[in-house]
Amino acid sequence: MMIHTLAEYQKQLLAKKISSLELTQFFLDKMAQHNALNSFITVCAETAKAQAIHADELRAQGKAGPLTGLPFAHKDIFCTRGIKTTCGSKMLDNFIAPYSATVTEKLDDAGMVLLGKTNMDEFAMGSSNENSFYGVVHNPWDTRCVPGGSSGGSAAAVASRIVPAASGTDTGGSIRQPAAFCGITGLKPTYGRISRYGMIAFASSLDQAGPMTQTAEDAALLLNAMAGFDVRDSTSLNVPVPDYTATLNDSLQGLRIGIVPSFFGDGLNSEIGAAIDNAKSVLEKLGAQCVEIELPHHELAIPTYYVVASAECSSNLARYDGVRYGYRAAQPVDLMDLYKRSRSEAFGQEVKRRIMMGTYVLSSGYYDAYYLKAQKARRLISEDFKAAFKNVDVILSPTTPDVAFKIAEKTHDPVKMYLSDIYTIAVNLAGLPAINIPCGFSGQLPIGMQLIGNHLTEARLLNIAHQFQQHSDHHQKVPMMESSS
Ligand code: GLN
């Protein structure tokens, strides 16, 4: 099966077998051809071609860096100067970002070509991409299914190979869960590893950007350019960025992998359990050993997250008032009417639900009972991981309890939808890095597994994922719709 990774296109550019302009046109054509997936909100055809021409000039002058001329897509949550940035919301449908996010600038400075902005759940709230103002995205493996969310457009676009790589953001699982549903690699780095400046805020203590790619090697290439300290983000970590590609081939001899037996109970699709068992033996053959561990407070993760994330979103989304920028209701009678109607006309149902929950848990009288209690539970969840990492190097778990579900299957039951993130959410509460890697199929739908590491162990996670991918081929499978190209 053909696989066209960033690393391979990088070699072709280097050998001058292809130009960035040719590559860019190739992907723009594919994006048009597979428009029906609805993975893009904005296609940047003209600016992309201009960037590609510039990249080719730099290469001709001997000034190309490792990523120069490689095309990719941004989740539409990253501000891109002069380009519409919607965050999947009617509220920002008319918003042309006046500045770029740090991540946008960094990839731009690295010479990458921005093909377009991908579809997503409104303000990154969701697990199925069904909350987008721009409509649902289809899973390329079965178009009746969701691609996962909130980075569903990025996941579907990478899986169908209509872009070689994309960015995503992960507040409770939004990189890893869609990566699992679409059969790609998705890394959520340590909180603070990548700047949040210019990345539209959902829940600021949890949000983190990361790469969504076909392989761990590509994720390493992108992370090299995305990571780093930023004075404009007060939670950004001021620690050096290693070359994440340098350790991809390190040995796994002696690696201690933690397994949480309760993760593999009744709530898990048994085919996912079996695929992870197979993956475990692959890793054991490479020198790893598995150790049983416990995370006693893990069951608190979902309720804790929905208190903390909703509280933070209710505060972050207060800025959309119909006055400063974004949607404004027509002919308001007074200021209160302007606020009320702008917000009620432009926010979708899920966003409103979160704002209401968040306002409630922060209100005086309920603050101690909910918000404060959730902060305490958050601490316990972090302490569990801290204790576990005394005995193991990484934790191997499912990414999702089931494979991609049907469109509209869970839209009427928010709690059922929230449970999609049962294996990913605790990681954000603890600020840890974690990666999804494809590890099998259930029928035609991909299965993902998750490796969770201690703070700032992205290099090790990428190393393990890369070694696994050197000894498996799940990540090379391409959905039928693309197999003829
Ligand atoms: N599905 C979770 C939510 O709806 C996580 C979303 C995310 O990571 N952005 O909040």
Side-chain angles (χ1 to χ4, degrees):
M1 197 79 68
M2 294 295 278
I3 173 165
H4 293 296
T5 60
L6 280 183
E8 285 167 344
Y9 289 123
Q10 185 186 47
K11 282 193 201 115
Q12 293 191 8
L13 285 171
L14 198 65
K16 301 207 162 68
K17 285 197 181 134
I18 192 167
S19 71
S20 174
L21 185 58
E22 284 164 344
L23 202 52
T24 300
Q25 191 59 58
F26 170 75
F27 283 109
L28 288 171
D29 291 346
K30 277 195 165 206
M31 284 157 69
Q33 192 186 337
H34 296 293
N35 203 13
L37 285 177
N38 199 26
S39 49
F40 281 86
I41 293 174
T42 303
V43 174
C44 307
E46 294 315 310
T47 48
K49 282 186 255 179
Q51 279 181 314
I53 290 168
H54 181 60
D56 285 333
E57 283 165 5
L58 286 178
R59 189 168 300 279
Q61 295 160 10
K63 291 183 192 155
L67 297 175
T68 304
L70 288 172
F72 81 109
H74 260 317
K75 182 177 183 178
D76 205 17
I77 197 168
F78 292 95
C79 284
T80 41
R81 192 158 64 92
I83 296 172
K84 181 161 131 165
T85 300
T86 70
C87 218
S89 182
K90 179 177 177 183
M91 184 59 89
L92 292 176
D93 185 46
N94 63 1
F95 180 61
I96 309 282
Y99 67 98
S100 280
T102 296
V103 170
T104 309
E105 276 181 359
K106 277 177 168 280
L107 296 184
D108 203 19
D109 291 348
M112 290 193 85
V113 173
L114 177 65
L115 294 167
K117 309 282 301 281
T118 61
N119 202 340
M120 56 178 284
D121 280 305
E122 185 178 11
F123 287 102
M125 298 173 198
S127 304
S128 65
N129 221 115
E130 291 166 294
N131 298 334
S132 169
F133 173 61
Y134 303 91
V136 66
V137 174
H138 298 270
N139 189 314
W141 294 94
D142 179 345
T143 52
R144 294 166 303 174
C145 292
V146 301
S150 62
S151 313
S154 289
V158 174
S160 56
R161 311 306 197 237
I162 62 180
V163 298
S167 63
T169 63
D170 191 312
T171 304
S174 279
I175 287 177
R176 293 159 287 157
Q177 186 257 16
F181 278 11
C182 291
I184 63 163
T185 303
L187 172 72
K188 176 241 175 265
T190 306
Y191 180 75
R193 177 72 291 191
I194 296 177
S195 169
R196 287 184 299 108
Y197 179 79
M199 187 177 110
I200 296 173
F202 162 13
S204 307
S205 77
L206 300 159
D207 297 343
Q208 181 60 205
M212 301 179 75
T213 53
Q214 294 163 40
T215 62
E217 183 185 17
D218 281 3
L221 279 171
L222 272 188
L223 187 62
N224 276 352
M226 292 170 86
F229 176 63
D230 183 6
V231 287
R232 297 179 295 188
D233 172 3
S234 63
T235 59
S236 157
L237 293 171
N238 196 354
V239 284
V241 179
D243 176 358
Y244 292 104
T245 62
T247 44
L248 290 173
N249 287 315
D250 282 5
S251 159
L252 303 191
Q253 205 59 49
L255 175 76
R256 294 164 309 163
I257 299 178
I259 304 279
V260 186
S262 60
F263 283 5
F264 295 84
D266 284 347
L268 182 69
N269 173 333
S270 59
E271 287 184 274
I272 298 185
I276 293 179
D277 270 346
N278 283 335
K280 229 161 55 181
S281 33
V282 172
L283 294 169
E284 279 168 350
K285 279 200 197 104
L286 295 172
Q289 78 198 80
C290 293
V291 184
E292 288 195 358
I293 57 158
E294 275 180 54
L295 296 171
H297 298 93
H298 195 265
E299 65 189 32
L300 301 179
I302 290 203
T304 303
Y305 170 88
Y306 277 95
V307 172
V308 173
S310 303
E312 293 185 22
C313 100
S314 73
S315 158
N316 272 326
L317 271 59
R319 72 191 67 175
Y320 304 105
D321 55 6
V323 176
R324 285 171 265 206
Y325 56 96
Y327 179 84
R328 176 179 294 179
Q331 294 167 340
V333 294
D334 57 23
L335 187 62
M336 202 45 84
D337 185 46
L338 169 74
Y339 288 153
K340 270 196 196 157
R341 279 203 295 117
S342 298
R343 288 170 68 80
S344 47
E345 289 167 19
F347 284 141
Q349 195 188 23
E350 184 60 26
V351 170
K352 286 178 189 159
R353 181 182 292 128
R354 307 275 180 115
I355 292 173
M356 280 160 65
M357 282 199 289
T359 311
Y360 180 78
V361 300
L362 288 175
S363 57
S364 71
Y366 293 105
Y367 180 91
D368 287 359
Y370 296 107
Y371 187 71
L372 198 63
K373 202 168 209 169
Q375 294 294 8
K376 290 179 181 167
R378 183 175 188 174
R379 167 60 76 90
L380 294 173
I381 290 164
S382 296
E383 296 290 335
D384 283 353
F385 280 112
K386 215 175 187 176
F389 287 125
K390 289 205 173 101
N391 301 315
V392 296
D393 303 306
V394 292
I395 298 168
L396 174 63
S397 88
T399 304
T400 56
D402 211 341
V403 291
F405 46 88
K406 293 260 160 45
I407 290 169
E409 191 180 314
K410 300 192 182 187
T411 38
H412 298 295
D413 190 344
V415 174
K416 227 181 190 172
M417 188 73 91
Y418 296 170
L419 289 173
S420 317
D421 293 317
I422 194 153
Y423 296 115
T424 50
I425 261 175
V427 168
N428 300 71
L429 289 166
L432 298 168
I435 190 167
N436 173 76
I437 331 161
C439 69
F441 283 83
S442 165
Q444 66 194 103
L445 293 169
I447 294 175
M449 65 178 184
Q450 172 176 236
L451 284 165
I452 307 167
N454 208 345
H455 295 111
L456 292 171
T457 58
E458 287 80 4
R460 188 60 163 155
L461 293 179
L462 290 164
N463 160 227
I464 303 166
H466 180 68
Q467 289 308 307
F468 181 74
Q469 292 180 341
Q470 298 300 103
H471 295 88
S472 63
D473 64 355
H474 315 289
H475 61 292
Q476 296 181 345
K477 305 255 162 68
V478 184
M480 278 302 274
M481 55 173 294
E482 279 292 317
S483 61
S484 56
S485 67

